Amino acid sequence: MTQVTDHGGGVWSIEVPIPDNPLGHTLVHLLDTDRGPVLVDTGWDDPTSWSTLTDGLETLGVSVADVHGVVITHHHPDHHGLSGRVREASGAWIAMHAADTDVVRRTRASEPAVWLDYLAEKLARAGAPEEHTAPLLQARASGRMRTLPGLRAALPDREIVPGELLDLAGRRLRAIWTPGHTPGHVCLHLEEDHPARLPGRGRLFSGDHLLPGISPHIGLYEDPADESAADPLGDYLDSLERVGRLGPAEVLPAHQYAFTTAGERVRELLRHHQERLDGLLALLVEPLTPWQLAERMEWNRPWEQIPHDSRSIAVSEAEAHIRRLVKLGRAEPLPGLPTRFVAV
């Protein structure tokens, strides 16, 4: 049975499954407008996910052909994957922040081998052993990269401009730029009274930025052509504080469940990342590579049990925290490869 939840005030959510992923599902939200239904995110591009989304819409008396528009919180395939199919079926527009649209455009235009070379080189610089980079190089030789998500993602045709109201007839939905999880992640503030009159300022579609029981992945922004030292963790912490000041009555995230304790959750996440930074500083009394730091960091399971792809994600998260320490003047890289860092 497709799980559909009525959040009141013309807002519903549909649990769209993510294949072979511990997150389980993406909460695709439907917002009723005077020009027709608008989706916030769409779910993973998979036959089961598509049928679940269309079944959920039909439960609400809506055909996918009726969808007027699609607002994407960020470019990841569990959020943007089905946008193209929705547009093909309905003619709906697709809106995304320009920074994430750039990621979609760059990914579609790049040869798969470019990405595999980039990832293998980046991991080698971070101190990954050869047995970890070998599968990437093997995938490059076999051409398997062509089947991975993101290479055929739909190009958005509208831009979400931070601070502006989206063009949704009869609704007040304002874009809040919240970079960190991705460079163009946005939350969407529904500036309307809560249907249950809960205290606070409207409702917030938070995407992956603010989740009730998970700390979203904060890694390095992926761009083979960009050598600038972006600070994704710094972006995320600033974005968290901005959302905390917003004070929404309820948060409607893209995973897990709706919740009403936005301020408390923001404070928990700020503490979590400060504890991580403090822990890394303690480890960096001796020079270590990002891979060595990731091995020593606390994850949801022992390092030996973390699968290959998740180890790459963990190293990227370690690097984002190290980069924050470097930005703060608390750590510095040492010459040579692989790159090692030390506290200062």
Side-chain angles (χ1 to χ4, degrees):
M1 291 290 293
T2 301
Q3 182 64 46
V4 177
T5 301
D6 185 353
H7 296 279
V11 177
W12 296 264
S13 63
I14 303 169
E15 290 188 7
V16 177
I18 310 171
D20 303 318
N21 190 295
L23 277 175
H25 60 264
T26 300
L27 291 171
V28 173
H29 289 90
L30 184 148
L31 179 65
D32 195 21
T33 81
D34 291 347
R35 294 197 190 105
V38 168
L39 299 182
V40 178
D41 292 334
T42 57
W44 192 279
D45 186 4
D46 175 81
T48 300
S49 304
W50 174 251
S51 63
T52 301
L53 175 63
T54 56
D55 288 349
L57 291 172
E58 289 174 5
T59 298
L60 298 172
V62 174
S63 164
V64 69
D66 300 327
V67 175
H68 172 61
V70 176
V71 183
I72 299 298
T73 61
H74 62 294
H75 72 83
H76 286 164
D78 55 324
H79 297 257
H80 182 45
L82 285 172
S83 301
R85 290 198 67 176
V86 171
R87 182 164 61 189
E88 289 171 6
S90 65
W93 48 260
I94 302 172
M96 184 184 286
H97 187 282
D100 271 21
T101 297
D102 285 346
V103 176
V104 173
R105 184 177 292 108
R106 185 168 62 243
T107 304
R108 286 168 54 103
S110 295
E111 289 293 329
V114 171
W115 283 99
L116 287 167
D117 288 342
Y118 163 70
L119 292 173
E121 181 183 350
K122 184 166 75 79
L123 285 162
R125 287 199 310 267
E130 288 186 11
E131 59 265 27
H132 186 81
T133 57
L136 294 172
L137 300 176
Q138 291 165 4
R140 184 193 193 286
S142 69
R144 281 191 293 114
M145 188 74 171
R146 275 188 276 272
T147 65
L148 293 183
L151 295 178
R152 296 185 302 273
L155 271 174
D157 44 72
R158 290 193 183 185
E159 180 180 343
I160 296 176
V161 179
E164 291 191 2
L165 288 170
L166 278 73
D167 182 20
L168 303 183
R171 310 306 297 249
R172 289 185 59 85
L173 190 67
R174 191 176 302 277
I176 312 296
W177 186 33
T178 51
H181 184 58
T182 70
H185 191 290
V186 292
C187 292
L188 302 153
H189 186 207
L190 191 58
E191 298 178 338
E192 301 169 10
D193 289 339
H194 192 282
R197 296 292 189 265
L198 297 180
R201 300 178 58 198
R203 290 182 281 180
L204 187 74
F205 298 100
S206 67
D208 280 3
H209 180 70
L210 193 62
L211 304 171
I214 302 171
S215 175
H217 168 64
I218 309 298
L220 299 185
Y221 301 145
E222 303 289 1
D223 183 356
D226 187 3
E227 296 297 326
S228 66
D231 181 17
L233 180 57
D235 292 344
Y236 180 66
L237 298 177
D238 289 345
S239 301
L240 271 180
E241 292 181 347
R242 187 159 57 251
V243 166
R245 291 191 295 270
L246 189 64
E250 187 175 27
V251 179
L252 303 173
H255 304 289
Q256 297 192 298
Y257 50 85
F259 62 103
T260 59
T261 53
E264 178 182 336
R265 185 61 182 143
V266 164
R267 291 188 291 273
E268 288 173 354
L269 288 166
L270 290 171
R271 284 195 301 270
H272 165 75
H273 286 289
Q274 186 58 56
E275 289 167 0
R276 285 227 140 157
L277 291 170
D278 291 343
L280 287 178
L281 269 179
L283 290 170
L284 288 174
V285 293
E286 60 174 316
L288 294 171
T289 66
W291 181 276
Q292 290 170 327
L293 284 165
E295 288 179 314
R296 292 161 172 78
M297 291 170 70
E298 183 178 339
W299 305 104
N300 60 1
R301 67 188 94 174
W303 182 257
E304 296 74 22
Q305 297 177 17
I306 296 177
H308 178 275
D309 290 348
S310 296
R311 287 189 179 192
S312 298
I313 292 171
V315 172
S316 181
E317 182 134 345
E319 288 188 282
H321 283 73
I322 297 166
R323 189 168 289 185
R324 184 65 186 151
L325 290 173
V326 171
K327 288 276 188 179
L328 294 171
R330 306 294 302 279
E332 64 181 10
L334 298 176
L337 292 175
T339 307
R340 297 181 300 157
F341 295 82
V342 66
V344 296

